[in-house]
Amino acid sequence: MAETARQLLREFEKNSGTVDDPLVSWSPDTLRRILRTELPGAQVIVVSNREPYIHNMKDGGVDLIVPASGLVSALEPVTRACAGTWIAHGGGSADKITVDEHDHVQVPPGNPAYTLRRVWLSDEELQGYYYGFANDGLWPLCHIAFTRPLFRASDWETYEAVNQKFADIVVEEARNERPIVLIQDYHFALLPRMIRRRLPEAIIITFWHIPWPNSEVFSICPWREQILDGLLGSSIVGFHIQFHCNNFMESVDRFMESRIEREHSAISYGGQTSLVHSYPISIEWPPAALAAQPPVEECRRRVFERFGLSPDTKLFVGVERMDYTKGIVDRFQAIEELFTNHPEWIGRLVFLQIAAPSRGTLPAYQHLHQECLDFVDAFNRRYGSDGYKPIIMLAEHHTQEEIYNVYRAADACVVSSLHDGMNLVAKEFVASRDDEHGVLILSTFAGAARELLEAVIVNPYDATAMGEAMLRALTMPEDEQRERMRRMREIVRDNNIYRWAGSMLQDAARLRKRNSIQQVTENPPQRLGHNIVRMFDKRKAMATRDKTPA
């Protein structure tokens, strides 16, 4: 029987590869069709630290905020299309008063399409799990930005506890034993294994949105085996690019007793097989924020009026969180190189830097913020004059509509990440330019550089070369801009967020079918039935009874 099962599975894998028709137009309808035909009745649960909608108290009322987050902008349209459940930390000051008795709120407001389940964390939990282990430890560990990761046992214990809290809520929200759970990012490395123990039939897809380091760097982490064991509870572990997949498999090969099948990008560990695939993340097409945008000329007029720029000024922009991995100071140094080697651009070029505050309680971020302020102040005193500031830095939050307004007004967008998983700013800028003008200057260390080959690719560590790239953008003919932008827009349109999600859902469907074949071939018919479902329903009923007030 076991040999028959293996033969059937090999035949299934050989004949059921994902068919990715280049002529398919990926949209919310495409996702719904995949769910309807390939995963009928499947419940989709998304888990992330950040919530897609935040309710805050403001002026005695409740103010709704949609965070300007790459993860949120990528996943929100997917969850809408799937009518799923999104589980996230509720951190808004009015979040608790806007949920029902089950901590649910229906979103988007005014046109509900899915359920947001909020998880409440104490200040101590947030400090240890989020600011501590996730962002003082894993974030610098995974990014080659030369910031030393800090690992504290107390942070690790809190990280474990918070992952367990989220696992309990996933099980509570699951309607049966076989949900599709999409776990997002480095905040939840232990979550897949915790869910697997409780829901062994679930399809668990963990997407790691940041780079994965090589095995030598990863060995720094004191809890490296526990993190790998946690992630290998996943059915699929996803990364933006194949290079990060390779680094992950090398880490598993070095530290875990496992079998690596590199030909099939699979890892066999603890009696389970996990696929390790690359899924380049993208954005919604067309972007919702673009719908209400005025023509490019009007966007440019508004932005230039706001900052008092003369009409013949060249405007470059940078948009990101205030983070040391984004190379903000490095791009400022490149402008200095440009002005040193080509002083004729002094007075004619302005760089607008939007840097949303981020993780301001961590010393590394406080230092970066001050370093940026000091550099801009000194730079503007050196090269500026009455009425002219070569660098304008806005360390404040902006809405997506405001950011798209700036994208459309700019002559170039600079993405100079020192190390990045993908970087959706690059794709947002391209998507915003329906006039097919503007130049994208893009770091070779951002995952987007693998797709947007028509960008001006730079090494952000080479300030002189990046300054020359800025000169190239300043002097690029309109015909060349149009040709480059047209091709990049085709790439972002075809490889949009729905294709990213659809590829994962198609792989989830394949795994579910494979598991069904495995069950049928490896279990005698008399042992099949509904025992698992009955046990699950009984457990859910008991949990509900225990929560009912006496």
Side-chain angles (χ1 to χ4, degrees):
M1 180 63 74
E3 180 57 33
T4 301
R6 282 192 289 271
Q7 289 175 353
L8 279 170
L9 288 171
R10 281 196 293 269
E11 187 66 22
F12 172 77
E13 292 294 340
K14 183 172 69 175
N15 292 300
S16 63
T18 299
V19 178
D20 195 1
D21 187 343
L23 299 179
V24 169
S25 177
W26 288 91
S27 67
D29 287 340
T30 313
L31 290 188
R32 285 189 281 266
R33 187 166 62 250
I34 290 172
L35 286 168
R36 185 175 62 253
T37 60
E38 302 293 329
L39 294 161
Q43 178 191 13
V44 176
I45 300 175
V46 174
V47 185
S48 70
N49 175 74
R50 181 165 294 184
E51 58 182 333
Y53 296 92
I54 303 170
H55 289 97
N56 282 329
M57 296 301 301
K58 183 178 180 181
D59 300 328
V62 176
D63 185 38
L64 178 69
I65 297 174
V66 179
S69 157
L71 183 146
V72 168
S73 62
L75 279 168
E76 209 274 337
V78 172
T79 316
R80 263 192 276 121
C82 297
T85 299
W86 189 323
I87 299 172
H89 166 230
S93 57
D95 276 355
K96 285 191 176 182
I97 67 173
T98 53
V99 296
D100 63 17
E101 65 273 19
H102 303 295
D103 296 326
H104 290 164
V105 59
Q106 301 303 310
V107 292
N111 185 27
Y114 65 94
T115 300
L116 172 59
R117 167 68 189 270
R118 285 171 169 155
V119 181
W120 314 117
L121 301 179
S122 67
D123 291 343
E124 292 76 15
E125 287 175 321
L126 200 60
Q127 186 62 44
Y129 138 82
Y130 179 76
Y131 291 108
F133 189 75
N135 287 307
D136 236 1
L138 287 179
W139 179 268
L141 177 73
C142 291
H143 288 87
I144 304 172
F146 308 106
T147 298
R148 178 174 176 165
L150 300 177
F151 294 110
R152 294 173 284 263
S154 59
D155 290 343
W156 169 252
E157 291 168 4
T158 307
Y159 184 84
E160 280 187 297
V162 171
N163 272 241
Q164 187 61 61
K165 176 179 284 192
F166 273 82
D168 294 342
I169 290 175
V170 169
V171 174
E172 185 179 321
E173 292 291 329
R175 294 195 295 263
N176 56 51
E177 285 276 359
R178 307 179 70 199
I180 296 172
V181 185
L182 305 177
I183 300 172
Q184 306 302 314
D185 229 351
Y186 61 102
H187 309 95
F188 299 113
L190 306 180
L191 187 56
R193 178 64 62 195
M194 292 173 172
I195 296 173
R196 177 68 61 205
R197 294 192 186 106
R198 306 273 295 281
L199 298 174
E201 302 299 319
I203 298 295
I204 303 172
I205 303 174
T206 301
F207 194 82
W208 196 265
H209 288 260
I210 63 176
W212 189 275
N214 64 46
S215 61
E216 188 69 22
V217 171
F218 184 69
S219 70
I220 294 170
C221 182
W223 300 280
R224 61 200 182 202
E225 287 87 359
Q226 291 95 317
I227 288 173
L228 293 173
D229 175 80
L231 289 170
L232 291 174
S234 309
S235 313
I236 302 172
V237 183
F239 298 91
H240 290 302
I241 60 175
Q242 187 61 41
F243 183 65
H244 299 153
C245 295
N246 296 343
N247 282 348
F248 177 76
M249 288 190 287
E250 287 171 7
S251 298
V252 172
D253 197 22
R254 179 171 177 179
F255 299 114
M256 310 297 284
E257 290 291 335
S258 60
R259 186 175 77 251
I260 311 292
E261 300 177 25
R262 298 188 186 277
E263 182 181 357
H264 302 292
S265 296
I267 298 171
S268 297
Y269 168 78
Q272 178 201 332
T273 298
S274 300
L275 303 181
V276 183
H277 286 180
S278 62
Y279 303 95
I281 200 169
S282 193
I283 61 173
E284 185 178 17
W285 186 276
L290 191 58
Q293 290 292 318
V296 166
E297 295 78 10
E298 177 63 17
C299 292
R300 189 171 176 89
R301 186 190 64 78
R302 291 180 184 180
V303 171
F304 275 47
E305 282 186 2
R306 177 184 174 188
F307 297 105
L309 308 181
S310 61
D312 58 346
T313 299
K314 292 287 189 178
L315 178 64
F316 282 16
V317 300
V319 179
E320 47 263 304
R321 291 182 303 103
M322 181 66 75
D323 194 287
Y324 53 77
T325 66
K326 302 302 182 182
I328 298 174
V329 174
D330 301 81
R331 74 187 59 156
F332 293 165
Q333 292 170 341
I335 300 170
E336 186 165 32
E337 288 290 322
L338 173 69
F339 281 3
T340 299
N341 297 322
H342 305 279
E344 66 274 14
W345 286 101
I346 299 173
R348 299 168 59 195
L349 170 66
V350 169
F351 194 99
L352 173 60
Q353 176 64 57
I354 296 176
S358 176
R359 304 166 191 165
T361 62
L362 298 180
Y365 290 82
Q366 294 171 351
H367 174 75
L368 171 67
H369 190 192
Q370 192 59 51
E371 183 182 10
C372 288
L373 291 176
D374 292 344
F375 190 103
V376 170
D377 183 60
F379 189 89
N380 285 343
R381 280 190 277 108
R382 187 179 313 121
Y383 295 104
S385 58
D386 290 341
Y388 172 62
K389 286 185 177 181
I391 300 178
I392 301 171
M393 193 174 84
L394 303 178
E396 57 194 47
H397 294 284
H398 287 69
T399 66
Q400 280 293 94
E401 287 73 18
E402 291 169 335
I403 288 171
Y404 269 75
N405 205 239
V406 169
Y407 286 149
R408 289 166 66 77
D411 294 285
C413 178
V414 181
V415 175
S416 57
S417 308
L418 304 179
H419 202 189
D420 225 330
M422 175 56 66
N423 194 290
L424 295 182
V425 167
K427 296 188 175 184
E428 288 176 351
F429 175 70
V430 168
S432 76
R433 299 313 297 253
D434 52 8
D435 65 330
E436 297 181 346
H437 280 72
V439 180
L440 175 63
I441 299 174
L442 179 59
S443 167
T444 187
F445 303 117
R450 268 74 171 180
E451 295 180 81
L452 303 179
L453 303 179
E454 285 73 25
V456 177
I457 306 297
V458 297
N459 175 0
Y461 292 94
D462 187 341
T464 301
M466 190 153 60
E468 292 302 310
M470 290 179 174
L471 177 65
R472 185 178 179 189
L474 287 165
T475 58
M476 185 178 291
E478 288 190 4
D479 287 348
E480 183 180 350
Q481 290 185 35
R482 186 177 295 109
E483 185 176 344
R484 288 170 176 266
M485 187 60 72
R486 185 175 296 153
R487 176 58 185 150
M488 289 191 290
R489 285 175 59 79
E490 289 173 355
I491 293 293
V492 177
R493 180 198 66 201
D494 295 343
N495 298 339
N496 60 37
I497 189 62
Y498 304 112
R499 181 173 182 173
W500 173 76
S503 298
M504 289 190 288
L505 291 176
Q506 284 179 319
D507 284 344
R510 291 178 58 213
L511 285 174
R512 176 168 282 190
K513 291 174 185 175
R514 186 187 71 178
N515 292 345
S516 297
I517 292 174
Q518 196 163 20
Q519 275 192 340
V520 170
T521 56
E522 294 185 355
N523 293 283
Q526 64 269 23
R527 292 175 59 189
L528 296 176
H530 302 287
N531 290 338
I532 291 178
V533 176
R534 285 202 300 270
M535 289 174 62
F536 180 79
D537 290 341
K538 182 178 179 182
R539 189 164 68 244
K540 294 273 282 189
M542 291 175 64
T544 303
R545 182 197 65 195
D546 292 344
K547 287 185 175 182
T548 303

